[in-house]
């Protein structure tokens, strides 16, 4: 009987939550909500959303409509929903450094940020986050005060950079990280506690991506990093990043953000030559392809690929995807060795996905 009850409950869509009420959002301006909160000694809860944001819609439909969530927010906050591309949302996005959707803010009656968190989540985590933010001594408020007061202790700054990224305040995070990087000695930069500035982690796309100062420093000082962070860890990161440079160059992403400068690719090759990476010869060839892509010389790209693709490791053979993507967009010239590239991949690869793609381009 218990199983039958739970199954019927699931079919009704209740899933253990009553959904008869919803968070009540104010109809007026943000300023009027702030005034109302100040008069009632409450905080303002702000749901920062956009019309196109799917996770935002999930929160509105499935979390804000749970009775326990609705009752908690309606009792404790003045609630405001802001479309960040319209009306009050546009200046609020700049003021509160909203960089992802949904973002959730807790403001005091003066409009000062008390707490901030980002992303869709279940009801339990959502309530937990908000309760944490209701404490005037919550982590975000405390760290903001300490930083504004001049705290530059290295352990604190490392945590602060990470917290800024967690809140998707990317530009402030980058600025603080750059200042922190410049404050470190060469010996300090290579220590494990600072590996988050250079290594593969949830912060890397903001702190050490392609064309970044941090990746360049890692590639130029890899021996010192190996001593403190391990050979396998450092070499894997470097190999992945050089592959990413080549990948971005061939599929066009690199040159959408950065203009082609030949000296950059000469520099990458010099860095690669100085490494002990097992597949550095293949990576150098891929960098030659990247340089040729920057020059829009797809014949040269295809010739390098045709000459060497059969000898590439399975990981490096994936550069063919970027070649097909980039050339497919350009279509500037007929490439006589396209069939040869495909045939060599089909003959040497064990990856069914790249083989099936190669067959598509066999007679391109």
């Amino acid at each position: 009987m218990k199983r039958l009850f739970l199954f019927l409950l699931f079919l009704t869509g209740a899933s253990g939550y009553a959904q008869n009420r919803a968070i009540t959002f104010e109809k007026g301006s943000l300023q009027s909500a702030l005034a109302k909160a100040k008069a009632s000694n409450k905080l303002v809860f702000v749901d920062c959303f956009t019309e196109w944001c799917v996770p935002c819609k999930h929160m509105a439909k499935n979390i804000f409509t749970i009775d326990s969530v609705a009752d908690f927010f309606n009792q404790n906050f003045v609630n405001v929903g802001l479309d960040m591309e319209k009306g009050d949302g546009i200046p609020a996005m700049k003021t509160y450094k909203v960089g992802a959707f949904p973002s959730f803010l807790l403001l005091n009656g003066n409009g000062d940020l008390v707490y901030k968190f980002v992303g869709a989540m279940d009801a339990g985590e959502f309530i937990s986050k908000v309760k944490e933010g209701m404490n005037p001594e919550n982590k975000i408020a405390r760290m903001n005060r300490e930083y504004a007061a001049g705290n530059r202790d290295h352990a604190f700054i490392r945590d602060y950079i990470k917290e800024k990224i967690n809140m998707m305040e990317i530009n402030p995070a980058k600025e603080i990280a750059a200042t922190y990087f410049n404050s470190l000695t060469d010996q300090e930069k290579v220590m494990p506690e600072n590996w988050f500035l250079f290594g593969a982690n949830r912060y890397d796309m903001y702190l050490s991506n392609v064309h970044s100062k941090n990746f360049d420093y890692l590639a130029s000082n890899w021996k010192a990093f190996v001593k403190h962070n391990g050979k396998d860890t450092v070499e894997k990161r470097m190999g992945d990043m050089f592959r990413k440079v080549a990948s971005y160059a061939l599929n066009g992403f690199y040159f959408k953000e950065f203009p082609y400068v030949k000296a950059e690719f000469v520099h990458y090759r010099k860095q690669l030559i100085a490494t002990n990476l097992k597949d550095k010869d293949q990576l150098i060839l891929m960098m030659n392809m990247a340089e040729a892509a920057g020059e829009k010389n797809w014949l040269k790209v295809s010739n390098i690929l045709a000459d060497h693709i059969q000898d590439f490791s399975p990981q490096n053979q994936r550069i063919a995807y970027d070649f097909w993507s980039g050339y497919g967009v350009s279509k500037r010239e007929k490439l006589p060795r396209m069939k040869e590239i495909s045939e060599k991949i089909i003959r040497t690869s064990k990856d069914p996905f790249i083989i099936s793609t190669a067959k598509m381009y066999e007679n391109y």
Side-chain angles (χ1 to χ4, degrees):
M1 288 298 293
K2 183 178 179 181
R3 289 184 179 179
L4 177 61
F5 171 76
L6 292 173
F7 178 67
L8 292 173
L9 192 63
F10 173 77
L11 288 180
T12 65
S15 300
Y17 291 118
Q19 299 196 46
N20 300 307
R21 297 182 290 281
I23 296 177
T24 301
F25 290 97
E26 297 292 310
K27 301 298 183 182
S29 66
L30 176 59
Q31 286 302 316
S32 65
L34 291 171
K36 182 176 179 179
K38 195 169 188 178
S40 58
N41 197 29
K42 291 183 176 181
L43 293 172
V44 175
F45 167 73
V46 185
D47 170 32
C48 303
F49 66 90
T50 66
E51 289 185 353
W52 46 264
C53 168
V54 174
C56 301
K57 295 179 188 297
H58 164 76
M59 293 297 291
K61 180 180 179 181
N62 300 308
I63 304 300
F64 296 171
T65 55
I66 295 172
D67 284 358
S68 59
V69 174
D71 293 344
F72 181 80
F73 278 80
N74 292 337
Q75 179 180 346
N76 291 285
F77 302 103
V78 176
N79 303 299
V80 176
L82 290 182
D83 185 330
M84 304 311 285
E85 297 178 334
K86 297 178 181 177
D88 287 350
I90 296 173
M93 185 170 175
K94 182 177 181 180
T95 300
Y96 301 110
K97 300 179 177 64
V98 176
F101 311 106
S103 284
F104 306 108
L105 315 176
L106 295 185
L107 311 177
N108 64 24
N110 296 321
D112 301 322
L113 180 67
V114 175
Y115 194 67
K116 178 181 185 181
F117 60 107
V118 177
M121 59 198 72
D122 63 31
E125 184 179 3
F126 187 52
I127 292 290
S128 178
K129 287 276 190 183
V130 170
K131 284 183 176 179
E132 178 185 344
M134 293 172 73
N135 180 353
E137 292 302 313
N138 70 71
K139 183 177 181 180
I140 304 302
R142 176 179 54 78
M143 294 185 85
N144 284 338
R145 286 198 304 271
E146 288 189 28
Y147 185 78
N151 186 349
R152 297 299 183 269
D153 174 78
H154 284 184
F156 168 76
I157 290 296
R158 288 193 294 269
D159 286 345
Y160 196 53
I161 293 167
K162 295 172 185 177
E163 202 59 55
K164 286 289 184 183
I165 293 176
N166 290 339
M167 294 188 296
M168 295 306 292
E169 295 186 7
I170 302 305
N171 287 334
K174 286 182 175 180
E175 291 170 5
I176 296 167
T179 300
Y180 176 63
F181 176 93
N182 291 332
S183 75
L184 298 173
T185 65
D186 288 343
Q187 179 62 24
E188 289 172 328
K189 287 171 183 169
V190 301
M191 290 293 108
E193 61 266 24
N194 290 316
W195 179 243
F196 80 101
L197 294 172
F198 310 95
N201 50 58
R202 75 168 307 263
Y203 313 105
D204 58 21
M205 69 180 295
Y206 311 112
L207 301 180
S208 58
N209 206 351
V210 167
H211 210 275
S212 68
K213 181 178 180 179
N214 288 11
F215 171 61
D216 184 66
Y217 188 86
L218 168 63
S220 297
N221 298 274
W222 61 273
K223 289 183 180 179
F225 280 96
V226 164
K227 290 180 182 178
H228 299 281
N229 299 277
K231 180 176 182 291
D232 291 345
T233 297
V234 173
E235 291 191 354
K236 182 180 187 308
R237 175 60 174 163
M238 290 175 62
D240 288 346
M241 286 303 297
F242 281 118
R243 286 184 199 92
K244 197 171 184 179
V245 170
S247 171
Y248 277 20
L250 263 67
N251 63 35
F253 291 161
Y254 192 103
F255 305 115
K256 286 181 180 179
E257 188 168 357
F258 311 109
Y260 170 67
V261 178
K262 182 181 179 67
E264 289 180 6
F265 294 89
V266 173
H267 180 60
Y268 289 140
R269 276 196 297 273
K270 286 181 178 178
Q271 288 177 321
L272 272 168
I273 290 168
T275 72
N276 290 332
L277 297 177
K278 294 178 181 178
D279 60 346
K280 74 176 182 180
D281 290 341
Q282 294 178 23
L283 291 171
I284 290 169
L285 288 169
M286 290 164 66
M287 212 55 58
N288 293 344
M289 292 165 60
E291 181 180 337
E295 296 169 347
K296 297 181 173 58
N297 188 343
W298 287 100
L299 180 61
K300 183 176 180 180
V301 174
S302 65
N303 283 339
I304 295 172
L305 202 60
D307 287 340
H308 301 283
I309 190 66
Q310 72 277 6
D311 300 318
F312 279 8
S313 68
Q315 190 174 23
N316 290 336
Q317 277 192 341
R318 294 174 190 162
I319 196 67
Y321 286 120
D322 301 290
F323 164 67
W324 289 321
S325 174
Y327 173 70
V329 171
S330 68
K331 294 183 181 177
R332 297 180 187 279
E333 56 188 311
K334 181 72 173 177
L335 299 178
R337 302 180 73 184
M338 288 286 278
K339 183 178 179 65
E340 181 182 349
I341 293 168
S342 294
E343 289 176 342
K344 287 182 175 179
I345 289 173
I346 293 167
R347 188 172 68 249
T348 61
S349 177
K350 296 182 180 179
D351 183 340
F353 297 103
I354 195 170
I355 290 172
S356 64
T357 308
K359 288 179 179 178
M360 290 171 53
Y361 283 91
E362 200 169 4
N363 297 306
Y364 193 81

